[in-house]
């Protein structure tokens, strides 16, 4: 296979993955904040979040596979699963492996959510807040196109969007109207002395 | 084909309201934004929508259950008996 | 007529009956077994915690699932503010309750007995603690005292189980019910302490004896808490089937003129005094007639008190006691309480009265436990009996409350 095609596909799929995953994070935050409007129902947020995430996984798979089979990079399949095991840009590539594995955990648990229960699913889903910045750093560190104008623009847009979403998340009180009272009641009826 | 009805764990429901959006034929909202579920078996043609509503719940509060047949008497509603 | 059965023996002023006196008076405790289930069935004993469910059937449902590791919870949480019967029973006759719990454990195949006593009922807690210490080691090995948090729903069956399992007394969604999977996933019998005390005597004297104690076809005796506008409020024991009038007489009569009677506590309902007078206090009979003896509260409202004010206070208490797990219960009861309070102050918002009817119907059956149902039943009985006062308040007439 023509090396150039593989090489461009790796870079392109990587960029697309970044954009899609940033959208996923923003939509995830919108879901927690229970965003809705007359033209934007709740199920649209969660539906897009899920579908774009699955699409992102596809592009991520393309990104990883083309990178590994490309003879120019000398990456073995092991580098896709064992962090910091490549000769080529060991650290920055390793970050990519980590981000990928976190995303894999999140995706798999979401697909079997009914079997593992809400609590476990939620705990692992929090890893998303780690996975995204690690993926961004991987892109900045390994990316051939990092300093090109269009890539910087993409990076900036993704960064600002996610930052705004996370800020909104931190600054808003829980939209669950029962949260405070439920916690207060639990405190009232909890066993005070150890069993 | 077994008949299915919607079951909800009210302690889990946090009023996200996706269920009412996706299955309005069987779920409406009360004055405080929590689901009112139409009791009884769900018409077969609506089952895909009901299933989608169940899958959409962010806190897994919904489930489709087989309609209970009256069998051996079970103890009365929970109380301090 | 009172002090016939559970309260036979030393006078209340003598305090808790000791184990020695208890054994001397009633003999050694019989052993529980499957035959006891048949005896309980025949006796017609129904639960005294509020649901009036046949005790024999309940024990059977646990026995049928137990493989020797079931659990018994003696429910003495008594979160109902108007009820004092359970705490009085535990204070004066702790060994009857413990006997009943141990008998239940043997009959259903349980290795563990938990005495779930409301921690706010300090006399009862002290009495039960002392009573456990008086028992032989073999009894104590199986039984533990577990103070229940002071809240209305702490006495709810699934809340009691959840408290044992996780340390938090919040109700859980059912299924599974405690008799299926309760403490540590085992079949669990949650039984009111009064029911257990009756069972302890039925095990000694038989079902025919228990039936003979009742009147007009009802069986056994019942403990009642009489309160409100009566001369001598307090806990009394009466034959099942006796009338409200007879009960009020035992309490020294009504103070003033009675307007209505609250039967069953905050989860019960208002009944007009004229109708209540001849009503027979038989848990099974009342349930068959669509009413409920509930936890045995008989509270008299005189014609001086404002029924809207009293009702508003009660529904507000029930709203405050919501576990805040289920939206319809928490917000529904809160809305009901706010509207009722505005009507009681004769400062209603437009549509408040219509909203009360709407919200009551909207909330019913939509909580994980029966707390909102009880509150709604109370609310609807108030709306029905005090319809003239509600209408007047909503219409802007009626007296101002200072």
């Amino acid at each position: 296979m023509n090396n150039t095609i593989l090489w461009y596909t790796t870079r392109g799929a990587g960029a697309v993955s970044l954009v899609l995953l940033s959208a996923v994070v923003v939509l995830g935050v919108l879901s927690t904040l229970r965003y809705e409007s007359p033209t934007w129902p709740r199920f649209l947020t969660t539906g897009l979040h899920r579908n774009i995430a699955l699409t992102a996984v596809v592009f991520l798979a393309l990104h990883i596979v083309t990178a590994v089979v490309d003879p120019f990079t000398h990456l073995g399949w092991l580098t896709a699963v064992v962090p910091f095991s490549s000769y080529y840009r060991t650290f920055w590539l390793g970050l990519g492996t980590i981000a990928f594995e976190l995303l894999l955990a999140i995706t798999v648990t979401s697909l079997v959510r009914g079997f593992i229960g809400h609590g476990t699913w939620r705990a692992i889903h929090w890893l998303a807040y780690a996975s995204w910045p690690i993926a961004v750093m991987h892109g900045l560190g390994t990316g051939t196109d990092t300093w090109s104008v269009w890539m910087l623009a993409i990076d900036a847009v993704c960064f600002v969007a996610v930052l705004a979403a996370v800020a909104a998340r931190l600054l808003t009180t829980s939209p669950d109207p029962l949260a405070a009272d439920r916690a207060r009641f639990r405190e009232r009826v909890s066993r005070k002395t150890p069993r | 084909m077994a008949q299915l009805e919607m079951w909800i764990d009210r302690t889990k429901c946090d009023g996200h309201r996706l269920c009412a959006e996706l299955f309005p034929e069987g779920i409406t909202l009360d004055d405080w934004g929590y689901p009112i579920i139409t009791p009884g078996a769900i018409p077969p043609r609506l089952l895909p929508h009901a299933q989608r509503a169940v899958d959409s719940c962010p806190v897994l509060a919904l489930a489709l259950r087989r309609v209970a047949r009256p069998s051996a008497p079970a103890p009365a509603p929970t109380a301090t008996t | 007529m009172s002090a016939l059965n559970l309260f036979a023996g030393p006078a209340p002023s003598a305090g808790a009956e000791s184990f020695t006196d208890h054994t001397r008076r009633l003999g050694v405790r019989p052993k529980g077994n499957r035959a006891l289930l048949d005896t309980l069935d025949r006796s017609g004993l129904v639960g005294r915690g509020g649901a009036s469910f046949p005790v024999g059937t309940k024990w059977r449902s646990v026995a049928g699932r137990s493989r020797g590791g079931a659990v018994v919870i003696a429910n003495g949480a008594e979160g109902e503010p108007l009820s004092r019967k359970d705490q009085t029973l535990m204070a004066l006759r702790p060994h009857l309750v413990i006997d009943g719990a141990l008998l239940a454990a043997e009959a259903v195949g349980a290795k563990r007995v938990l005495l779930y006593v409301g921690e706010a009922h300090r006399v009862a807690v002290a009495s039960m603690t002392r009573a456990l210490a008086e028992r032989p080691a073999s009894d104590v090995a199986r039984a533990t005292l577990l103070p229940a948090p002071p809240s209305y729903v702490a006495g709810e069956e699934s809340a009691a189980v959840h408290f044992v399992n996780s340390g938090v007394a919040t109700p859980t969604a059912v299924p599974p019910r405690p008799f299926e999977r309760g403490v540590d996933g085992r079949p669990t019998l949650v039984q009111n302490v009064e029911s257990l005390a009756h069972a302890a005597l039925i095990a000694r004297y038989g079902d025919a004896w228990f039936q003979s104690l009742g009147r007009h076809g009802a069986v056994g005796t019942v403990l009642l808490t009489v309160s409100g506008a009566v001369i001598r409020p307090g806990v009394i024991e009466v034959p099942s089937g006796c009338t409200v009038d007879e009960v009020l007489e035992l309490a020294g009569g009504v103070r003033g003129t009675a307007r209505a009677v609250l039967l069953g506590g905050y989860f019960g309902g208002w009944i007009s005094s004229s109708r209540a007078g001849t009503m027979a206090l038989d848990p099974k009979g009342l349930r068959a007639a669509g009413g409920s003896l509930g936890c045995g509260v008989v509270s008299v409202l005189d014609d001086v008190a404002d029924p809207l004010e009293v009702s508003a206070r009660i529904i507000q208490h029930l709203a405050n006691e919501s576990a805040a797990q289920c939206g319809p219960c928490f917000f529904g009861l809160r809305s009901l309480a706010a509207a009722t309070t505005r009507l009681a102050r004769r400062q209603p918002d437009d549509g408040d009265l219509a909203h009360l009817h709407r919200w009551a119907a909207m909330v019913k059956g939509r909580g994980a436990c029966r707390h909102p149902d009880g509150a709604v039943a109370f609310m609807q009985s108030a709306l029905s009996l005090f319809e003239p006062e509600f209408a007047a308040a909503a219409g802007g007439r009626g007296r101002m409350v200072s």
Side-chain angles (χ1 to χ4, degrees):
Chain A
M1 169 160 294
N2 188 328
N3 297 343
T4 324
I5 290 182
L6 285 175
W7 187 228
Y8 281 133
T9 308
T10 301
R11 288 151 61 185
V16 171
S17 296
L18 177 67
V19 172
L20 293 179
L21 288 171
S22 304
V24 168
V25 173
V26 171
L27 285 164
V29 169
L30 286 180
S31 183
T32 310
L33 295 178
R34 304 194 185 192
Y35 172 76
E36 73 176 297
S37 80
T39 50
W40 188 288
R42 293 274 286 124
F43 76 82
L44 188 55
T45 309
T46 54
L48 280 176
H49 175 84
R50 183 170 194 271
N51 291 342
I52 294 178
L54 293 173
T55 311
V57 169
V58 171
F59 275 94
L60 195 57
L62 191 62
H63 169 75
I64 294 171
V65 166
T66 52
V68 168
V69 304
D70 188 340
F72 176 72
T73 63
H74 300 290
L75 294 169
W77 286 105
L78 212 60
T79 55
V81 291
V82 179
F84 313 122
S85 63
S86 68
Y87 289 112
Y88 176 76
R89 305 201 190 188
T90 311
F91 176 69
W92 300 106
L93 202 96
L95 289 184
T97 310
I98 292 175
F100 162 64
E101 287 176 339
L102 290 174
L103 189 64
L104 199 65
I106 293 166
T107 309
V108 168
T109 48
S110 295
L111 291 172
V112 297
R113 202 161 62 111
F115 295 108
I116 60 172
H118 183 65
T120 312
W121 169 84
R122 190 138 202 258
I124 296 191
H125 221 79
W126 275 95
L127 294 173
Y129 285 118
S131 175
W132 184 85
I134 294 177
V136 169
M137 293 198 299
H138 160 79
L140 292 173
T142 46
T144 314
D145 307 293
T146 303
W147 301 112
S148 63
V149 175
W150 56 270
M151 194 63 217
L152 282 173
I154 291 176
D155 283 335
V157 169
C158 291
F159 187 76
V160 167
V162 170
L163 199 68
V166 170
R169 174 80 169 90
L170 291 171
L171 296 172
T172 319
T173 50
S174 169
D176 176 5
L178 278 180
D181 293 284
R182 185 172 34 223
R184 212 176 309 142
F185 185 83
R186 279 184 77 94
E187 177 55 41
R188 233 185 90 194
V189 297
S190 290
R191 191 169 13 225
K192 302 297 186 286
T193 51
R195 200 163 170 172
Chain B
M1 187 69 210
Q3 298 220 290
L4 295 172
E5 62 180 357
M6 183 80 68
W7 179 85
I8 181 171
D9 182 336
R10 295 258 172 218
T11 59
K12 289 193 181 142
C13 174
D14 281 342
H16 286 268
R17 290 168 280 127
L18 285 103
C19 55
E21 286 176 353
L22 292 169
F23 185 39
E25 298 89 344
I27 301 180
T28 52
L29 295 177
D30 67 14
D31 288 2
W32 307 280
Y34 292 86
I36 299 175
I37 298 182
T38 312
I42 298 169
R45 65 179 172 85
L46 291 177
L47 274 176
H49 299 283
Q51 186 65 59
R52 205 180 294 149
V54 168
D55 295 337
S56 75
C57 178
V59 293
L60 301 175
L62 291 171
L64 289 177
R65 302 239 158 140
R66 265 210 198 101
V67 176
R69 252 157 247 308
S71 56
T78 51
T80 57
T81 44
Chain C
M1 182 172 66
S2 45
L4 314 144
N5 177 23
L6 298 179
F7 287 132
S13 50
E17 185 177 40
S18 71
F19 188 52
T20 326
D21 292 344
H22 166 87
T23 314
R24 193 185 310 131
R25 184 167 66 90
L26 298 168
V28 166
R29 173 176 78 82
K31 285 267 172 273
N33 50 33
R34 294 293 161 119
L36 178 57
L37 301 179
D38 299 326
T39 313
L40 287 173
D41 282 338
R42 283 193 307 265
S43 73
L45 174 67
V46 295
R48 296 282 197 260
S52 304
F53 192 79
V55 171
T57 311
K58 199 170 197 200
W59 290 24
R60 217 177 271 284
S61 71
V62 177
R65 284 173 173 74
S66 167
R67 283 185 304 226
V71 178
V72 170
I73 298 181
N75 195 343
E78 195 156 58
E80 163 71 58
L82 288 175
S83 179
R84 307 184 59 80
K85 68 170 177 82
D86 290 339
Q87 57 200 266
T88 308
L89 178 66
M90 290 185 286
L92 299 179
R93 298 285 181 271
H95 289 288
L96 271 183
V97 173
I98 297 175
D99 271 5
L102 295 172
L103 276 166
E106 284 159 359
V108 307
K111 282 214 196 77
R112 210 173 146 199
V113 172
L114 294 158
L115 306 170
Y116 188 57
V117 183
E119 70 181 34
H121 310 315
R122 284 202 275 257
V123 177
V125 173
S127 163
M128 292 291 279
T129 311
R130 213 179 316 121
L132 260 187
E134 289 173 342
R135 308 284 288 210
S138 52
D139 287 352
V140 178
R142 257 182 302 171
T144 337
L145 190 97
L146 185 64
S151 87
Y152 201 91
V153 297
E156 203 269 335
E157 205 173 57
S158 68
V161 167
H162 195 241
F163 185 69
V164 178
N165 283 339
S166 72
V168 185
T170 48
T172 55
V174 292
R177 288 237 155 80
F179 76 91
E180 295 166 313
R181 270 206 316 278
V183 173
D184 296 336
R186 301 162 182 283
T188 304
L189 174 70
V190 183
Q191 191 80 71
N192 177 266
V193 290
E194 186 195 335
S195 315
L196 291 172
H198 284 298
L201 291 176
I202 292 172
R204 284 172 167 84
Y205 302 134
D207 51 279
W209 161 84
F210 187 70
Q211 290 182 334
S212 70
L213 297 175
R215 293 244 209 97
H216 313 129
V219 303
T221 59
V222 287
L223 295 187
L224 304 171
T225 315
V226 188
S227 66
V230 292
I231 305 291
R232 274 194 312 273
V235 175
I236 55 172
E237 179 174 20
V238 296
S240 187
C242 79
T243 65
V244 172
D245 272 346
E246 290 170 319
V247 167
L248 296 181
E249 238 182 78
L250 279 175
V254 174
R255 207 173 355 97
T257 316
R259 164 76 204 277
V261 175
L262 181 63
L263 196 62
Y266 283 12
F267 273 7
W270 291 109
I271 306 182
S272 72
S273 55
S274 49
R275 224 186 108 210
T278 48
M279 204 172 248
L281 291 169
D282 162 26
K284 264 207 302 233
L286 281 172
R287 172 130 340 269
S292 171
L293 183 56
C295 59
V297 165
V298 179
S299 191
V300 179
L301 185 76
D302 64 21
D303 61 358
V304 174
D306 177 19
L308 262 58
E309 219 177 28
V310 176
S311 299
R313 235 188 315 114
I314 291 176
I315 189 72
Q316 183 67 63
H317 181 86
L318 289 170
N320 295 342
E321 288 296 305
S322 168
Q325 296 188 113
C326 309
C329 171
F330 184 78
F331 293 111
L333 296 191
R334 218 194 226 185
S335 300
L336 283 169
T340 310
T341 305
R342 283 193 297 267
L343 283 161
R345 294 206 182 119
R346 273 59 180 189
Q347 292 161 348
D349 288 347
D350 279 337
D352 263 349
L353 185 55
H355 274 141
L356 285 183
H357 288 280
R358 174 188 167 78
W359 288 333
M362 198 173 253
V363 166
K364 191 188 211 118
R366 291 181 57 238
C369 73
R370 300 275 79 83
H371 185 80
D373 295 2
V376 161
F378 168 79
M379 195 69 232
Q380 287 176 329
S381 77
L383 285 169
S384 164
L385 190 63
F386 306 128
E387 201 259 321
E389 281 91 341
F390 272 107
R397 293 167 280 131
R399 66 176 196 272
M400 277 298 292
V401 179
S402 64

